[in-house]
Amino acid sequence: MRGGRHIAAVTDATFDLAAGECLALVGESGCGKSVLASALLGLLPGNAQTTGTALLTGPDPAAAPTDLLAADERTLARTVRGRRIGLVPQSPAAHLTPVRTVRSQLREVLRELTGVRGQALTEAAETAAGRAAFPADHLDRYPHELSGGLAQRAATALALIGDAPLLLADEPTTGLDRELVDRTADELRRHTDDGRALLMITHDLAAAERIADRVAVMYAGRIVELGPAADFFGSRGPRHPYARGLLDALPERSFTAIPGMPPELGDLPDGCAFAARCTRATDICADPPALTPGHGSSAACHHAEERVDA
């Protein structure tokens, strides 16, 4: 709720995520990606409202899944966050304890989640830092002494501890150079290949292409395309005009920006929210498109089946 009005930040977001799979959630800033991650962890503001279900299953198929949207704070704090779901936050500096060194924070989380003690704890903290390419000679620094990239790597190291079955990584490569982006992405992929699920929220399409199994594209609070990463980044390409525009904006592609600006979430049109920016829009776009399956992917576009020359 904003200014007494209800703002639908995310609407009809439907997807599944299996163990051993990486789903990349992409889209422009403000489209609702981080709000979705916060909703799954119960970290929305107090005046936010959620509807629907978000079911988290466990290793026992006979056990009832946990509905993350219905779970109380006690359940989320004691049994979900850090243990069943790890988080690489979008603003890592805000999630690091300012009066404790990186080493002490790693040690604390290791003790709590793994039970490691003594000399093994020191070694485990250094190993955890190494997984996120955090330099050992910076472990005794405080968060305010870290650059943005180092804070990002510290937050990633903390998130990987405990090997939670599901990892939410919200812009995990922000502030990193290309070499560290690739190294971080590869570590997240190894985490996934060991049988865990990864939801990676990112603007970095190169990182998504490197490790994602599927891609979900969000626009104005809705998922407008969902399909295999091989199709999305390959010769078949995206089916939704907005998704295609994201790829065309890359320097290694046509380097062409999408015209216009996204609509305000509090003032969305009745039909397709992308129509005002779309070169393929027609009168039919006044009706809201549904996310419908097609050749390998689902797309919320009335013109998704039309051929588009690359």
Side-chain angles (χ1 to χ4, degrees):
M1 179 178 291
R2 180 188 300 169
R5 294 188 303 152
H6 287 276
I7 305 295
V10 177
T11 304
D12 297 332
T14 302
F15 60 90
D16 57 10
L17 183 56
E21 181 183 31
C22 171
L23 173 65
L25 182 61
V26 303
E28 290 168 295
S29 296
C31 69
K33 305 186 302 298
S34 295
V35 172
L36 176 60
S38 296
L40 295 176
L41 286 168
L43 298 176
L44 291 173
N47 64 343
Q49 300 175 359
T50 58
T51 60
T53 58
L55 302 180
L56 178 65
T57 60
D60 182 1
T66 300
D67 185 351
L68 298 174
L69 300 186
D72 56 43
E73 174 59 24
R74 180 184 178 91
T75 299
L76 292 171
R78 294 196 173 191
T79 67
V80 175
R81 298 186 198 124
R83 291 171 171 80
R84 299 179 66 188
I85 302 180
L87 172 67
V88 180
Q90 184 180 31
S91 302
H95 284 72
L96 297 173
T97 304
V99 296
R100 301 187 62 183
T101 66
V102 175
R103 185 190 303 275
S104 68
Q105 293 183 60
L106 288 170
R107 287 169 60 93
E108 179 184 22
V109 174
L110 280 162
R111 274 195 303 266
E112 182 177 354
L113 296 183
T114 69
V116 176
R117 297 289 188 274
Q119 179 60 32
L121 183 61
T122 298
E123 296 173 358
E126 294 181 356
T127 298
R131 290 180 67 185
F134 188 90
D137 59 356
H138 286 54
L139 281 170
D140 293 315
R141 294 190 178 187
Y142 292 89
H144 73 273
E145 298 177 300
L146 305 178
S147 66
L150 284 172
Q152 183 69 62
R153 282 181 269 170
T156 301
L158 288 165
L160 291 173
I161 292 173
D163 292 324
L166 170 61
L167 182 64
L168 303 183
D170 194 352
E171 302 292 354
T173 60
T174 297
L176 306 182
D177 61 33
R178 195 73 245 168
E179 180 180 354
L180 284 173
V181 166
D182 292 344
R183 182 170 173 177
T184 299
D186 290 345
E187 182 57 44
L188 293 175
R189 183 69 241 187
R190 280 191 289 271
H191 181 84
T192 307
D193 288 339
D194 286 338
R196 304 175 188 91
L198 169 63
L199 176 61
M200 182 172 71
I201 297 169
T202 185
H203 289 97
D204 191 336
L205 293 179
E209 182 177 12
R210 188 177 182 90
I211 68 170
D213 298 295
R214 289 188 297 151
V215 176
V217 182
M218 182 169 277
Y219 183 77
R222 294 178 181 269
I223 293 177
V224 297
E225 181 152 354
L226 176 62
D231 289 346
F232 186 90
F233 293 107
S235 58
R236 178 174 291 174
R239 297 171 61 228
H240 195 283
Y242 172 68
R244 183 173 291 276
L246 288 179
L247 283 185
D248 287 344
L250 295 176
E252 60 270 26
R253 303 227 178 188
S254 62
F255 205 25
T256 303
I258 302 174
M261 296 292 291
E264 292 289 335
L265 293 178
D267 190 28
L268 294 177
D270 293 332
C272 175
F274 187 62
R277 308 173 69 187
C278 183
T279 58
R280 297 161 66 186
T282 61
D283 290 345
I284 195 176
C285 300
D287 296 324
L291 190 66
T292 55
H295 301 294
S297 64
S298 300
C301 177
H302 295 294
H303 303 284
E305 298 305 321
E306 297 176 4
R307 176 181 173 82
V308 177
D309 294 329

